[in-house]
Every structure is written in structure tokens, then in C-alpha cells.
Amino acid sequence: MAIQLGLDAKLYRNTGNPGSSLWQLVPNIRDVTLNLEAGEADVTTRNNAGWSATAGTLKDASIEFEMVWDTEDYHFAAFQDAFFSGTPVELLVMDADASDAGSQGLQAICQIINFTRSEGLEEAITVSVTAKPTYSFNPPSWVEGPIEFDA
């Protein structure tokens, strides 16, 4: 796979139990940002000839996206409910269709930690959503397609 366009990337939500393969495409999405970073540990020694040295520690991820405020949208309602109830949601953020060979992305059970409504004067009302991995028996993982979905 070569150059990827953002419009070809996909966000999926697992509509079944965590760990199942009942993935559904979330179509009411605008821009998506997948933030991945690692913490740092100072491992500098006197043998570094005056240079500091760093080792990566725990990884951190967040998934940020924007949706049109549509209370009749099934996925919108699920994210809104997950925010207010504290119920986790399982997300799959892929750089292409998950059924495509070579596609890749993050799969994680997440907590919705931000659900901010924006009411621009000449725009549709939107909501900015932030999801972060949460406590689970299924830790986040980097996955590659093709991924098979249950019917």
C-alpha cells in the first residue's frame, strides 16, 4: 500500500461484546486524529559522553473525531450514551477499509472522555469526541487487515 488519503480511512465501532467481530463502519465522521506516543525514562549514564539518553516506556493513545450532531444517528447516540454512562466502546481506527490486505490501525476498548458540542453560526452543529483506551482484559493492539467481520 502506498500513499493513503484521509478520506479513505475508516473508523469502526464494535456493536457486540468486546472482543467480538461485530464491527460497523461509523459514517457520520469528519476529521479523525489518532494520537500515539510513548512516555520517556531517563537512562543517561556517564558512558554517554555528555549526551542524555532516553528509553520509551508506556504507550499512550487517543482517538479524536468530529461528528455532525444527529440524535437519530445510531452511532452518535451510542457515543453520547457512552460518555454520559461511562460505558466503554471498542473502536477500530484503520488507514483504509479493514477488509483490505495491508490496511492497519489501532484496535482498543475506550472510554469517551470528551463530548464537546460546537454551534457555529453558519455551520451544522457538531460534536468533538475524544476516546482513550481504558481498563480491559483486551489491551489495545496494532492490527493489520484483512479483518473479517461477523455477519
Side-chain angles (χ1 to χ4, degrees):
M1 198 176 296
I3 294 173
Q4 295 297 116
L5 299 177
L7 62 89
D8 295 327
K10 308 287 185 207
L11 176 68
Y12 299 89
R13 183 174 67 86
N14 189 343
T15 58
N17 293 323
S20 70
S21 295
L22 293 173
W23 295 105
Q24 286 189 359
L25 178 66
V26 181
N28 179 13
I29 297 290
R30 289 189 176 188
D31 297 335
V32 177
T33 302
L34 174 59
N35 298 300
L36 300 170
E37 55 186 75
E40 298 179 8
D42 183 356
V43 293
T44 306
T45 66
R46 293 178 181 171
N47 196 40
N48 283 87
W51 290 88
S52 63
T54 303
T57 60
L58 298 175
K59 292 175 182 59
D60 190 23
S62 68
I63 304 161
E64 300 171 4
F65 56 93
E66 185 178 77
M67 302 179 80
V68 172
W69 186 274
D70 181 355
T71 56
E72 294 181 8
D73 178 289
Y74 173 67
H75 296 289
F76 173 90
F79 290 125
Q80 184 179 42
D81 180 62
F83 175 75
F84 286 111
S85 69
T87 305
V89 294
E90 188 170 15
L91 299 176
L92 178 61
V93 186
M94 299 296 285
D95 64 356
D97 192 296
S99 63
D100 291 348
S103 62
Q104 56 181 299
L106 181 73
Q107 178 178 341
I109 298 174
C110 298
Q111 192 82 44
I112 304 299
I113 60 159
N114 180 41
F115 197 80
T116 301
R117 187 167 74 184
S118 178
E119 303 173 359
L121 185 60
E122 292 187 4
E123 301 292 332
I125 295 175
T126 59
V127 61
S128 295
V129 180
T130 303
K132 288 190 169 189
T134 191
Y135 176 81
S136 168
F137 291 108
N138 299 318
S141 60
W142 193 256
V143 296
E144 294 188 15
I147 295 174
E148 296 186 26
F149 297 167
D150 290 344

